[in-house]
């Protein structure tokens, strides 16, 4: 059942807070003026009959306001629950942050002369249903709060009793009404509100031309809450107890608890469940029946709360949980992908629960994407005393032979469970195409990394090899045309790490062209990225999302000159390097198309926008290279050192070409005798006035 609730969320600047809770069943036929104040004029009335309140409108609308106030700064979450009887087209309205008096429009003064207010409206009319509105001062119109929405899909107007609850959590407002005779007939409205109005009082006001059978106002829960086991909990022990927290809205006589394996039917007095209590019992803990419960079974339970002297209960929410299976239960998401450099140790871990002792703890590996599995080599450990329980596989000194997917198989006396699989990846060079003529065979550029990702050229024409960045006379190849673009399979360079680096020597011809890409079409799920050199010479990486995402380097490549370009993606950002110099870092994420082709020299595997120039020595790593690692690649050819961190005390002028500063100042990226001499020459200089401060 959808438990009826009106969530009234407000953060207020407090007026004078008085006593809460307020509870009234209107049983004696006399309005309790210690709790309520009629707000009437023009002959309108608030009338209490034995068992309910009603209002009669003559001119201005009649209201009933609380005598006391609610201050969220000191009293916490506001809760209002009501049972009302409405004919078709009748309305029940709750106002919060009210001064308890009329404003100039004839409504309760919502927040005083400079304040704001919230109105929660239930109209038993197909045109309106439920609504949440705000109002500034006494000025029309009523407005919808931020994020406002309503759901009338399961609601239809019908005369009779309706349950209504208002709760202010401080961050969200929502309204839900439920028909008492048919709880499947309900409507909801939700909104967010963050304004903090200036108010003269924090009273509540009500308007209803039908019948209000009961009202509770509190800064706590109106029904039993905080169930143990948690609602929708899984892997609950079969011998678990049931417990809950008593309502804060009233002093209870006790509870009745209903329990079973079918969803509660709120049209039945016992919900179609077994009653665990013997009538009304003053308890907050009880054993389920049966106990122990069955394994791998979903149970439902309801706790009805009875106020002292009340004839009917405050109906409980539907709570549920699922007991632990007899077999071990390995947690979703374990083990997780892991990666390391050659020679490092790798640890794969699963978390699990088990009703009985583990009798078998095996880790397996597969090198053919799960087609076949063998027992993994390494050290396997088991800890059943920890929370959660864990099994681990440790592989010392990982090498390429350890790259695989791994899983854990656990068994106990009830059976076995197999974990999800996880990748163990070696952080390494995963693709390397020299683009030398010597490494071109059968219309493919050979991958010399050892991983076999040969790049097949699209067209049959023999490429023209030219002098490369390293001087090899047949060490580079021109692209310019889709026939000379190549594809290197659909492998994912981020597998196991979530990172990658592409590094290449480029001799750019001056036009925009694709560099290295993993995409089919321009769609988030049909690409991971594409990279290019733009018409202006900046390097870019892009992907499709709900909008296009493109980031660029802040240094250009030079036309018709060999430049080393590296793009390093670190999981949530991308860095560009030109000839080893950091050329910008920007936030970036990849698309989800992990199974699309890798393309060298264009944006797409069919050669869209081929690279305008020559390429040499393309390398792809499955992790984000550091600045130092990028320099290590290009320095043997450029012979140029790169300043990657300017020392703070590099204060003397020097002409090295490494770093250019303001106004022509140029440091040499090291602190030496020249800097010391510059510092010593200014020793004891003082700019303080009066000069006595220099002593």
């Amino acid at each position: 059942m959808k438990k009826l609730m009106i969530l009234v969320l407000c953060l207020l600047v407090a007026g004078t807070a008085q006593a809460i809770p307020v509870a009234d069943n209107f049983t004696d036929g006399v309005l309790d003026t210690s709790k309520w104040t009629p707000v009437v004029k023009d002959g309108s009335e608030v009338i209490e009959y034995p068992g309910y309140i009603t209002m009669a409108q003559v001119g201005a609308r009649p209201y009933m306001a609380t005598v006391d106030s609610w201050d969220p700064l000191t009293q916490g979450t506001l809760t209002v629950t009501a049972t009302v009887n409405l004919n078709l087209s009748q309305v029940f309205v709750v106002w919060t942050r009210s001064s308890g008096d009329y404003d100039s429009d004839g409504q309760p003064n919502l927040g005083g002369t400079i304040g704001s207010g919230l109105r929660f409206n239930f109209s038993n009319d197909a045109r309106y249903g439920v609504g949440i509105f705000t109002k500034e001062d006494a000025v029309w119109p009523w407005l919808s709060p931020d994020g406002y929405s309503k759901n009338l899909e399961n609601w239809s107007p019908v005369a009779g009793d309706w349950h209504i609850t208002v709760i202010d959590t401080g961050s969200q407002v929502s309204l839900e009404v439920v028909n008492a005779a048919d709880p499947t007939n309900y409507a909801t409205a939700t909104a967010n509100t963050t304004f903090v109005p200036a108010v003269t009082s924090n009273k509540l006001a009500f308007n209803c031309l039908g019948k209000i059978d009961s009202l509770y106002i509190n800064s706590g829960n109106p029904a039993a809450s905080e169930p143990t086991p948690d609602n929708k909990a899984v892997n609950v022990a079969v011998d678990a107890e049931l417990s809950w927290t008593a309502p804060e809205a009233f002093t209870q006589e006790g509870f009745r608890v209903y329990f079973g394996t079918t969803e509660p039917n709120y049209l039945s007095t016992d919900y179609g469940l077994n009653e665990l209590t013997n009538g009304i019992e003053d308890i907050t803990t009880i054993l389920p029946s049966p106990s122990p419960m069955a394994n791998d079974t979903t149970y439902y339970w309801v706790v009805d709360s009875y106020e002292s002297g009340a004839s009917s209960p405050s109906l409980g929410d539907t709570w549920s949980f699922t007991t632990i299976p007899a077999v071990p239960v390995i947690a979703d998401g374990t083990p997780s992908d892991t990666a390391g450099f050659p020679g490092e140790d790798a640890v794969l871990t699963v978390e699990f629960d088990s009703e009985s002792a583990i009798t078998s703890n095996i880790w397996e590996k597969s090198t053919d994407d799960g087609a076949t599995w063998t027992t993994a080599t390494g050290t396997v450990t088991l800890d059943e005393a920890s929370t959660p329980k864990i099994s681990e596989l440790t592989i010392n000194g990982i090498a390429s032979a350890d790259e695989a997917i791994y899983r854990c198989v656990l068994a106990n006396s009830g059976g076995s469970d197999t974990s999800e699989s996880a990748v163990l990846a070696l952080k390494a060079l995963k693709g390397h195409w020299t683009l030398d003529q010597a490494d071109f065979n059968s219309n493919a550029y050979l991958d010399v990394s050892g991983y076999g990702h040969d790049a097949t050229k699209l067209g049959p024409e023999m490429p023209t090899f030219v002098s490369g960045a390293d001087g090899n006379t047949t060490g580079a190849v021109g692209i310019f045309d889709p026939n000379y673009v190549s594809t290197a399979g659909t492998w994912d360079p981020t597998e196991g790490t979530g990172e990658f680096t592409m590094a290449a020597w480029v001799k750019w011809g001056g036009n925009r062209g694709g560099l290295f890409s993993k995409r089919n079409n321009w769609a988030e799920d049909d690409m991971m990225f594409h990279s290019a050199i733009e018409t202006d010479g900046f390097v870019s990486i892009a992907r499709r999302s709900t909008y296009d995402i493109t980031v660029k380097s802040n240094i250009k490549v030079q036309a018709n000159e060999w430049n080393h370009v590296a793009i390093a993606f670190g999981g949530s950002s991308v860095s560009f390097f030109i000839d080893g110099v950091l050329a910008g870092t920007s936030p970036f994420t990849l698309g989800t198309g992990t199974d699309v082709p890798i393309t060298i020299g264009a944006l797409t595997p069919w050669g869209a926008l081929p690279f305008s120039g020559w390429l040499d020595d393309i390398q792809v790593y499955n992790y984000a290279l550091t600045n130092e690692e990028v320099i290590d690649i290009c320095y043997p050819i450029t012979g140029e050192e790169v300043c990657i961190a300017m020392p703070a005390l590099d204060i003397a002028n020097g002409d090295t070409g490494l770093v250019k500063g303001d106004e022509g100042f140029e440091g040499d990226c090291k602190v030496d005798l020249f800097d010391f001499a510059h510092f010593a020459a200014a020793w004891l200089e003082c700019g303080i006035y009066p000069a006595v401060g220099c002593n």
Side-chain angles (χ1 to χ4, degrees):
M1 157 188 172
K2 282 291 271 190
K3 178 92 173 144
L4 97 99
M5 270 185 177
I6 305 172
L7 292 172
V8 185
L9 150 68
C10 326
L11 294 175
L12 306 179
V13 176
T16 302
Q18 304 297 329
I20 292 245
V22 175
D24 204 333
N25 287 327
F26 310 112
T27 56
D28 58 6
V30 178
L31 187 67
D32 188 341
T33 55
S34 69
K35 299 176 181 178
W36 313 107
T37 299
V39 183
V40 294
K41 63 181 179 180
D42 300 335
S44 294
E45 294 182 275
V46 175
I47 309 166
E48 178 171 332
Y49 292 98
Y52 65 91
I53 282 278
T54 191
M55 301 177 189
Q57 181 173 348
V58 176
R61 288 183 181 180
Y63 304 100
M64 181 177 71
T66 56
V67 172
D68 295 329
S69 301
W70 165 71
D71 180 358
L73 298 179
T74 60
Q75 293 178 283
T77 298
L78 173 70
T79 300
V80 180
T81 63
T83 299
V84 299
N85 185 281
L86 300 178
N87 291 325
L88 291 177
S89 299
Q90 288 186 323
V91 179
F92 175 74
V93 185
V94 180
W95 285 264
T96 62
R97 297 190 286 273
S98 171
S99 67
D101 199 358
Y102 286 104
D103 66 14
S104 59
D105 290 316
Q107 310 277 350
N109 187 344
L110 301 176
T113 58
I114 58 172
S116 304
L118 276 171
R119 182 180 80 180
F120 300 83
N121 195 91
F122 172 47
S123 176
N124 198 17
D125 186 312
R127 294 173 297 171
Y128 304 112
V130 293
I132 303 173
F133 308 94
T134 64
K135 185 170 180 287
E136 299 292 331
D137 268 342
V139 181
W140 291 94
W142 290 94
L143 302 173
S144 298
D146 292 341
Y148 171 70
S149 66
K150 65 180 181 180
N151 182 0
L152 302 177
E153 181 179 347
N154 298 301
W155 176 78
S156 60
V158 60
D161 285 342
W162 293 86
H163 296 306
I164 303 171
T165 305
V166 177
I167 301 174
D168 183 341
T169 68
S171 60
Q172 183 185 36
V173 287
S174 68
L175 166 63
E176 184 172 281
V177 299
V178 177
N179 182 261
D182 178 11
T184 63
N185 184 5
Y186 64 90
T188 61
T190 60
N192 301 313
T193 182
T194 55
F195 61 83
V196 182
V199 297
T200 57
S201 179
N202 287 316
K203 295 182 179 181
L204 288 85
F206 303 87
N207 168 253
C208 181
L209 299 183
K211 300 176 181 178
I212 304 176
D213 297 330
S214 63
L215 272 175
Y216 295 100
I217 305 171
N218 200 355
S219 58
N221 295 318
S225 61
E226 299 178 347
T228 301
D230 291 338
N231 188 32
K232 301 188 183 301
V234 295
N235 299 328
V236 173
V238 294
D239 58 354
E241 287 187 330
L242 310 179
S243 65
W244 60 93
T245 297
E248 299 170 351
F250 53 80
T251 300
Q252 65 279 350
E253 177 183 346
F255 306 91
R256 299 181 79 157
V257 183
Y258 304 89
F259 182 81
T261 57
T262 58
E263 292 194 44
N265 176 8
Y266 278 77
L267 299 179
S268 173
T269 55
D270 62 2
Y271 305 104
L273 302 174
N274 299 319
E275 183 175 357
L276 298 181
T277 44
N278 184 17
I280 300 173
E281 295 187 38
D282 188 13
I283 57 173
T284 56
T285 301
I286 196 169
L287 277 174
S289 178
S291 182
M293 296 171 282
N295 290 107
D296 200 17
T297 301
T298 297
Y299 289 94
Y300 301 87
W301 58 305
V302 178
V303 177
D304 284 350
S305 307
Y306 286 79
E307 180 187 7
S308 296
S311 59
S312 59
S314 175
L315 303 183
D317 290 309
T318 294
W319 295 328
S320 67
F321 60 85
T322 302
T323 53
I324 187 171
V327 302
V329 179
I330 300 176
D332 292 340
T334 65
S336 57
D337 293 346
T338 189
F341 290 104
E344 292 183 340
D345 295 342
V347 179
L348 293 148
T349 303
V350 295
E351 299 175 355
F352 70 95
D353 202 354
S354 179
E355 188 179 38
S356 58
I358 295 298
T359 57
S360 176
N361 176 25
I362 298 173
W363 281 83
E364 298 177 334
K365 67 180 283 190
S366 173
T367 57
D368 54 10
D369 203 25
T372 58
W373 294 88
T374 59
T375 302
T377 57
T379 302
V380 176
T381 58
L382 183 71
D383 186 352
E384 297 184 82
S386 65
T387 303
K389 300 169 182 173
I390 60 172
S391 170
E392 286 187 342
L393 170 67
T394 301
I395 304 173
N396 299 118
I398 58 174
S400 58
D402 297 310
E403 288 192 293
I405 58 174
Y406 290 79
R407 69 184 186 185
C408 180
V409 182
L410 295 173
N412 63 12
S413 58
S416 64
D417 189 25
T418 301
S419 74
E420 300 171 5
S421 60
V423 174
L424 172 58
L426 205 63
K427 291 184 177 181
L429 178 64
K430 294 291 184 175
H432 186 186
W433 304 273
T434 67
L435 304 185
D436 294 351
Q437 186 171 1
D439 294 323
F440 183 79
N441 186 48
S442 300
N443 206 40
Y445 301 103
L446 302 182
D447 173 18
V448 300
S449 71
Y451 283 91
H453 302 307
D454 296 341
T456 302
K457 197 166 65 64
L458 297 188
E461 298 86 350
M462 181 69 179
T464 300
F465 293 94
V466 299
S467 183
D470 60 358
N472 183 343
T473 57
T474 56
V477 67
I479 305 299
F480 297 103
D481 184 277
N483 285 309
Y484 301 101
V485 172
S486 57
T487 58
T490 59
W491 59 284
D492 179 5
T494 69
E495 185 178 34
T497 64
E499 303 178 357
F500 82 94
T501 300
M502 188 286 303
W505 286 97
V506 303
K507 191 174 182 180
W508 173 56
N511 296 319
R512 182 173 185 252
L515 184 57
F516 181 85
S517 304
K518 184 169 173 64
R519 65 164 279 193
N520 270 324
N521 295 297
W522 184 242
E524 183 175 6
D525 61 354
D526 207 19
M527 70 180 303
M528 292 185 76
F529 63 90
H530 73 223
S531 63
I533 296 183
E534 302 296 326
T535 303
D536 53 12
F538 291 109
V539 182
S540 70
I541 187 170
R543 77 170 179 92
R544 177 67 176 165
S545 184
T546 52
Y547 52 91
D548 296 348
I549 301 174
T550 301
V551 296
K552 297 181 182 181
S553 64
N554 56 27
I555 299 176
K556 299 179 181 181
V557 298
Q558 300 302 308
N560 299 310
E561 296 181 13
W562 283 111
N563 290 121
H564 188 264
V565 172
I567 302 172
F569 173 72
S572 59
S573 64
V574 64
S575 296
F576 300 94
F577 302 90
I578 309 297
D579 292 332
V581 177
L582 178 62
T585 298
S586 300
F588 191 73
T589 56
L590 300 175
T592 59
T594 57
D595 58 350
V596 300
I598 284 177
T599 300
I600 295 172
L603 297 186
T604 69
W606 53 89
L609 203 65
F611 183 70
S612 170
W614 296 263
L615 297 176
D616 187 12
D617 200 52
I618 298 176
Q619 301 182 29
V620 175
Y621 297 79
N622 66 342
Y623 64 99
L625 295 186
T626 64
N627 200 164
E628 294 90 336
E629 289 171 319
V630 172
I631 295 170
D632 287 339
I633 296 173
C634 62
Y635 177 73
I637 294 176
T638 65
E640 296 182 359
E641 299 91 353
V642 177
C643 180
I644 62 174
M646 177 64 74
L649 292 179
D650 181 23
I651 57 178
N653 290 321
D655 187 10
T656 65
L658 291 175
V659 175
K660 293 186 182 298
D662 294 335
E663 299 177 356
F665 173 80
E666 194 171 306
D668 58 6
C669 205
K670 60 184 178 182
V671 178
D672 54 20
L673 284 175
F674 294 101
D675 302 297
F676 177 74
H678 192 81
F679 174 72
W683 182 253
L684 296 182
E685 287 184 1
C686 181
I688 298 175
Y689 181 85
V692 66
C694 295
N695 295 331

